[in-house]
Amino acid sequence: MLRRMLAESFGTFWLVFGGCGSAVLAAAFPSLGIGFSGVALAFGLTVLTMAYAVGHLSGGHFNPAVTVGQWAGGLFPVKDILPYVIAQVAGGAVAGGVLYLIASGVPGFDASASGFASNGYGDHSPGGYALSACVAIEFVLTAFFVVIINGVVSRKSLASFAPIPIGLALTLIHLVSIPVTNTSVNPARSTGVAIFQGGWAVDQLWMFWLVPIVGGGIGGLMSRVLRATE
């Protein structure tokens, strides 16, 4: 279990550092910014690369919603949920701290004012979307993300290729939802940067735990039904 927890921590660190780091450091870099598309691709690449690197040890969840979704889908034991979630949140928080250290190397950097790649709704949604819209998109995208993950990993013939569709799915999710919530679908990712933003992001963090966890659980149940039908 210790090795599996370390794998989940390393994987979640890489996801938060690579994905949120691309948003904080590179998205709007003067004249050479990578923009929304670049950030979306960065998140997808973090999952793809770490799933290949340590997925054989832990399953490569890197996300509490995925862990819950795997359990709901009958692919993961309930006794291992809490250790995995602790490891994921710890990895995300360390990544947020390292990213904060790097970003604050620029004179005038203010994590509170910039948002620090945090997720938000209402006034803190990138596009000003209302809470109801943000709940809807986080729920739908998390549920379908888990359906994709469970559908791929439950088929032995696809096991060696699983990180590819999973990484592509996360890229698509970000392409759709960055303007709405800055894309969470992952409570550990949201927590890792919110604690360093330190203001509204912490106040709104409840939604980015509750909705992805519920969405992941529903996605897991959906995947179980689809697998039974098949």
Side-chain angles (χ1 to χ4, degrees), residues 16-32:
V16 174
F17 184 76
C20 295
S22 70
V24 172
L25 304 175
F29 191 79
S31 75
L32 295 175

Side-chain angles (χ1 to χ4, degrees), residues 56-140:
H56 63 289
L57 297 175
S58 67
H61 297 186
F62 318 142
N63 181 342
V66 172
T67 299
V68 170
Q70 291 255 291
W71 163 73
L75 301 173
F76 192 76
V78 66
K79 65 181 179 61
D80 292 345
I81 292 177
L82 183 59
Y84 265 51
V85 171
I86 291 172
Q88 292 155 358
V89 172
V94 173
V98 174
L99 179 58
Y100 181 85
L101 176 66
I102 295 169
S104 59
V106 174
F109 173 76
D110 185 346
S112 179
S114 69
F116 199 54
S118 297
N119 303 116
Y121 56 81
D123 291 340
H124 302 293
S125 157
Y129 286 82
L131 174 60
S132 58
C134 295
V135 167
I137 200 165
E138 287 289 328
F139 176 82
V140 170

Side-chain angles (χ1 to χ4, degrees), residues 164-183:
I164 297 174
I166 293 170
L168 290 173
L170 190 60
T171 300
L172 174 60
I173 285 168
H174 279 78
L175 288 172
V176 172
S177 61
I178 287 177
V180 184
T181 62
N182 222 15
T183 311

